[in-house]
Amino acid sequence: MTTEMTPVQRERFQAQQAFFKRPSFLIQVALVIGLILVPLVPSFRVMDMMAKIMIFSIVVASYDLILGYTGLLSFAHAMFFGIGAYSMALLCYHLGSPQWHHLILATIVALAMSVVLALILAFFSLRTKAIFFAMLSLALADFFHILGRSWRNLTLGEDGVTFSLPGILNVQGQGFSLFGLNISPRTMTYYLVLVVSVALFIFLVRFVGSPVGRVLQAIRDNEQRSTALGFKTFPHQIYSIVFGSSISSMGGILFALWLRYVDPESVLGVFSMVDYLLMVIIGGLGTMYGSIIGAAFFITVQTWLPDLLRGIAANFPDYEIIQRMADRWMAYFGVMFVVVILVFPKGIVGTVQKIIRRRRMASFK
Amino acid sequence: MGQYRWESDLAKAPVIETKDLTIRFGGNVAVNTVNLQFEEYSLKSIIGPNGAGKTTLFNLISGQYKPTSGQVIFDGQDITGLDPATRTKLGIGRSFQLTNIFSTLSVLENVRLALQSKADVGMVFWRHWRSYFKLEDQAYELLKQVLLEDRWADEANTLTHGEKRKLEIAILLGLDPKVLLLDEPTAGMSIEEVPAILKIIQNIKAARKRTILLVEHKFDMIMNVSDSIAVLKDGRLICDDVPEAVSCNPEVMEAYLGGGMKYG
């Protein structure tokens, strides 16, 4: 730089220079290394929890793309998740002994269905008002939920579908040995989930950081101003819904791979939308990384809080009231949620990011 | 002032032309068979009492409304059927009467988005927005032009009203439009803030790269900066002439300045 840099150039220069030294980057690297090492913990429960956190981080992050970055309230996100899960389960179940190409076929089917349904949803509702999008997505999601319960020949109804996976992912198999460590089929599935979710998360972060991602935020903030700048609302919203929904169905595929069992209530239920909303709000709308925090918080509490309460209650066997209080773990979760929102009005990541950004920018005035 | 009057004597084709432009809202004819020509690099002001249809005429030109009948011609091309986003791409940039910015985004980002639109980056999702660093630098230059560079890193909703209007003009300049539609740029401003905006408008005009359309209430301000003034009343064009002639026009005095009201 021969001439003096403007504050904007100084800020950008510093941001580029320090990228690999930035705390956020180091935290991400540490997180991935930590996730790789999780199977060393001799507890299936921990691995199960971490796998679910990864899967739901992706689902919630893609929900954040639609809700937080694009400003559209979709109730069909669980539906897309269910479509992914069911295409994996049904193809592996109905097509005879599981083969690798069933997995690929399931991915293609899930993606194709998500794209088509997302387009239908968008074309029928978004031309008018955003509220119709919410209504139509709710109707469509409920339709698929009923379909999952009632089309017994295909989906086995509320009994759910139990299926097995091919090759080294098959839990009946022996797994293999690597550097003296026994890698079980479970562990292999865990690593598959890990690789796919990290890849999808990176894709989502890139997406919202791209020029299109910036325009999405502009449209969310002020649609009239955006069109007056020459950005067309409709194609951008379609972009976001199609990508967000497809990634949600990828999350569904991972979920089915991990559990090898799907049932309508857990993957298609409209009520799981409430969980997604809680997770995305705890982490912070429009932050992406918040979805990891939100999913981790929610699933950790969901896994350990009932145990914790039961453990406490076991110490007071004579007090009926404490026994009863221990059963209602959702009530304590509700209190925790309210406290988090009071302390972090923009979600955990959203609030922290805002403070960091303000401090950083103050030095470039 | 009118020092650029010679320009219109060259009989150039107008940049924007409205032909019998009419819009009805139910029984109310908001704009009634308005024929106007806007010459290149000129500054035309549109005045008229409240409800005369000034902003509606603006919305028709920028595409927010579709006319009931009549045409809008831009650069010899009929743009009546085009949506606002397409018209912006063609080169018609507008500001709004009520401040209209991206309030949760940073000041710089507001201008950068306009530049991104102009640069036609398109639906790119595989590159990072920061890799288009020229846009950021240009945005900063534009903020300098409107004397807002000190606030570049702030969130736009922390600006004062006057600063927001300046930001709007910077956003418009970022679009690099051939035609600037300014809808009451000084509305709601304190008296100390007005000269700064006026200076910015005069600078744009003096650069002689853009045609400016101005809707304004402050008559003395218009008199000084306009090449010509169009007067609307009840949706009809009653006068379109140089400022000196307009201020002497008895019909205008009656319609707009009448009732014992003095301009200034």
Side-chain angles (χ1 to χ4, degrees):
Chain A
M1 287 284 153
T2 45
T3 53
E4 201 181 321
M5 284 198 281
T6 63
V8 177
Q9 286 168 331
R10 269 196 292 131
E11 191 271 332
R12 185 174 63 230
F13 193 62
Q14 200 213 44
Q16 285 166 346
Q17 285 280 299
F19 184 78
F20 293 107
K21 289 181 196 160
R22 234 191 268 165
S24 61
F25 179 77
L26 297 177
I27 290 171
Q28 285 169 56
V29 171
L31 185 67
V32 172
I33 293 173
L35 286 172
I36 290 172
L37 297 180
V38 160
L40 293 178
V41 179
S43 154
F44 174 68
R45 211 160 170 208
V46 170
M47 189 159 84
D48 183 51
M49 192 175 86
M50 295 317 279
K52 279 183 182 157
I53 288 176
M54 284 191 285
I55 293 166
F56 281 103
S57 294
I58 296 305
V59 177
V60 173
S62 60
Y63 194 50
D64 194 21
L65 170 63
I66 296 175
L67 181 68
Y69 283 86
T70 319
L72 289 169
L73 181 59
S74 164
F75 287 107
H77 213 65
M79 177 193 84
F80 289 110
F81 181 78
I83 285 173
Y86 260 101
S87 27
M88 178 55 75
L90 294 179
L91 281 169
C92 287
Y93 181 82
H94 286 296
L95 292 185
S97 69
Q99 304 292 327
W100 283 107
H101 64 255
H102 294 166
L103 264 59
I104 295 164
L105 192 64
T107 311
I108 294 169
V109 168
L111 279 178
M113 273 187 82
S114 316
V115 170
V116 170
L117 281 170
L119 285 176
I120 289 174
L121 196 58
F123 270 100
F124 276 100
S125 59
L126 278 180
R127 289 244 176 228
T128 47
K129 279 258 167 12
I131 186 72
F132 291 115
F133 178 74
M135 303 294 279
L136 193 67
S137 65
L138 184 60
L140 201 62
D142 213 30
F143 171 72
F144 268 83
H145 185 201
I146 292 168
L147 207 65
R149 276 191 318 199
S150 312
W151 194 354
R152 297 194 60 92
N153 290 339
L154 181 73
T155 66
L156 309 187
E158 292 186 7
D159 301 338
V161 188
T162 309
F163 60 98
S164 52
L165 292 172
I168 46 168
L169 299 182
N170 188 345
V171 277
Q172 259 82 52
Q174 286 302 306
F176 58 94
S177 185
L178 190 72
F179 307 124
L181 287 167
N182 182 43
I183 310 284
S184 69
R186 270 290 183 188
T187 314
M188 273 316 292
T189 320
Y190 175 86
Y191 283 122
L192 182 65
V193 170
L194 172 66
V195 169
V196 176
S197 21
V198 169
L200 287 176
F201 193 79
I202 290 173
F203 173 80
L204 276 170
V205 170
R206 291 290 300 189
F207 188 84
V208 298
S210 71
V212 170
R214 303 297 276 191
V215 175
L216 284 177
Q217 292 169 63
I219 292 173
R220 172 202 64 194
D221 200 42
N222 188 339
E223 187 175 338
Q224 191 189 29
R225 178 77 264 179
S226 311
T227 37
L229 285 188
F231 296 119
K232 289 189 174 158
T233 311
F234 192 53
H236 281 92
Q237 288 179 335
I238 284 202
Y239 228 39
S240 152
I241 293 165
V242 167
F243 274 110
S245 305
S246 311
I247 289 174
S248 177
S249 73
M250 292 294 100
I253 284 182
L254 293 179
F255 189 74
L257 281 178
W258 181 246
L259 289 188
R260 297 169 330 284
Y261 168 77
V262 295
D263 71 298
E265 228 42 65
S266 64
V267 300
L268 278 170
V270 178
F271 282 111
S272 43
M273 285 310 304
V274 178
D275 296 350
Y276 299 170
L277 272 169
L278 286 175
M279 289 188 237
V280 79
I281 291 169
I282 288 170
L285 279 168
T287 57
M288 269 306 142
Y289 292 100
S291 54
I292 299 178
I293 303 288
F297 180 85
F298 187 87
I299 290 169
T300 313
V301 170
Q302 201 180 34
T303 314
W304 298 109
L305 191 61
D307 283 3
L308 187 70
L309 291 172
R310 246 177 270 129
I312 293 171
N315 293 325
F316 304 95
D318 302 332
Y319 296 91
E320 176 76 17
I321 180 94
I322 290 177
Q323 303 297 323
R324 290 219 180 147
M325 278 166 72
D327 284 343
R328 312 282 189 273
W329 71 272
M330 277 304 261
Y332 303 100
F333 180 74
V335 174
M336 287 167 86
F337 178 71
V338 171
V339 170
V340 167
I341 294 305
L342 283 177
V343 179
F344 301 100
K346 286 179 174 248
I348 295 172
V349 174
T351 310
V352 171
Q353 259 181 1
K354 199 178 173 190
I355 294 165
I356 292 175
R357 193 191 131 78
R358 195 182 295 155
R359 287 219 183 129
R360 199 171 111 75
M361 285 306 173
S363 61
F364 292 105
K365 282 289 176 64
Chain B
M1 255 183 261
Q3 67 263 50
Y4 297 125
R5 282 297 296 160
W6 57 272
E7 186 72 30
S8 56
D9 296 335
L10 293 176
K12 272 192 178 175
V15 179
I16 287 197
E17 197 177 355
T18 67
K19 283 186 179 165
D20 294 332
L21 206 58
T22 304
I23 187 167
R24 260 174 240 277
F25 297 110
N28 175 29
V29 188
V31 171
N32 197 346
T33 54
V34 170
N35 289 291
L36 273 173
Q37 276 102 40
F38 301 93
E39 280 137 26
E40 199 165 27
Y41 308 140
S42 69
L43 194 159
K44 191 195 278 286
S45 301
I46 299 169
I47 61 168
N50 279 332
K54 305 180 295 284
T55 299
T56 312
L57 180 66
F58 251 48
N59 284 335
L60 286 168
I61 294 173
S62 66
Q64 263 78 17
Y65 293 154
K66 293 269 179 289
T68 316
S69 63
Q71 286 177 309
V72 183
I73 312 286
F74 175 69
D75 256 353
Q77 184 193 351
D78 185 358
I79 59 165
T80 319
L82 302 180
D83 62 40
T86 317
R87 294 189 197 199
T88 306
K89 289 272 181 211
L90 284 176
I92 302 175
R94 75 161 294 177
S95 76
F96 292 84
Q97 189 172 0
L98 303 170
T99 314
N100 206 342
I101 54 173
F102 301 112
S103 51
T104 63
L105 307 180
S106 79
V107 172
L108 189 78
E109 178 67 5
N110 267 272
V111 185
R112 201 197 62 83
L113 278 164
L115 288 160
Q116 182 183 313
S117 169
K118 178 68 189 171
D120 244 334
V121 167
M123 302 286 246
V124 171
F125 63 85
W126 50 90
R127 284 182 68 179
H128 198 264
W129 64 273
R130 286 217 101 157
S131 64
Y132 300 87
F133 51 83
K134 255 192 191 147
L135 299 180
E136 272 185 304
D137 294 342
Q138 285 169 0
Y140 188 72
E141 288 306 311
L142 285 173
L143 286 178
K144 266 188 184 167
Q145 275 185 38
V146 298
L147 318 169
L148 210 57
E149 72 269 26
D150 292 339
R151 305 292 310 262
W152 72 274
D154 295 319
E155 220 172 76
N157 57 19
T158 62
L159 298 180
T160 66
H161 181 72
E163 287 172 327
K164 283 179 183 167
R165 304 300 308 205
K166 288 185 194 169
L167 176 59
E168 273 202 295
I169 293 177
I171 292 172
L172 271 185
L173 291 175
L175 288 171
D176 191 24
K178 289 193 190 117
V179 178
L180 270 175
L181 305 174
L182 301 175
D183 197 351
E184 297 198 33
T186 64
M189 267 190 186
S190 65
I191 206 83
E192 308 86 62
E193 289 174 316
V194 173
I197 288 283
L198 211 56
K199 184 90 189 103
I200 292 165
I201 294 174
Q202 271 167 336
N203 285 343
I204 300 168
K205 187 190 163 196
R208 302 190 38 69
K209 279 193 211 147
R210 305 176 212 284
T211 310
I212 305 174
L213 271 70
L214 192 65
V215 164
E216 209 23 279
H217 271 313
K218 301 182 179 69
F219 201 79
D220 55 338
M221 172 182 155
I222 301 173
M223 285 293 286
N224 287 333
V225 300
S226 306
D227 294 321
S228 61
I229 297 178
V231 188
L232 284 179
K233 191 199 170 202
D234 298 332
R236 283 182 179 280
L237 183 69
I238 58 172
C239 173
D240 178 16
D241 213 332
V242 294
E244 296 76 20
V246 168
S247 62
C248 304
N249 186 314
E251 214 182 335
V252 176
M253 303 286 269
E254 166 84 32
Y256 187 68
L257 309 164
M261 194 180 109
K262 292 254 189 290
Y263 64 80

